[in-house]
Amino acid sequence: MQTLAHFGDGGPGPWILLFPVIWALVIGGGIALLRRTVRRGRRGGPWGRPTVESDSPLAVLGRRFASGEIDEDEYWRRLSVLNEEFGPKGGAA
């Protein structure tokens, strides 16, 4: 009876069993990397962290207006005060 271990007779030897193991490791590593990337994308990753800009007075005012805490007149009044104090975004000082 001829087996893989009879590599002296010209057979492939026991090393042939190593190739499916290597392919299983490569495929498993790819799946693990893909799952980790997808999971990180759901959390936002390092690029999705809140910045200081999101807590600026203008952003807070916009959120309060959007949620209905203040009306439109109050929003425009406070916005004009904030623009005088902080200046318009992107404007030259």
Side-chain angles (χ1 to χ4, degrees), residues 7-64:
F7 57 92
D9 296 335
W15 299 108
I16 193 73
L17 299 176
L18 189 61
F19 292 111
V21 172
I22 291 173
W23 276 111
L25 288 174
V26 167
I27 292 171
I31 290 172
L33 182 66
L34 183 65
R35 288 183 62 179
R36 182 177 181 197
T37 304
V38 169
R39 199 175 312 140
R40 180 175 285 180
R42 277 191 217 135
R43 284 185 290 174
W47 53 88
R49 292 183 184 141
T51 61
V52 176
E53 292 283 328
S54 67
D55 290 335
S56 71
L58 294 174
V60 172
L61 180 64
R63 281 195 299 271
R64 289 186 64 197

Side-chain angles (χ1 to χ4, degrees), residues 1-9 11-14:
M1 182 169 211
Q2 195 151 10
T3 63
L4 291 176
H6 291 139
F7 57 92
D9 296 335

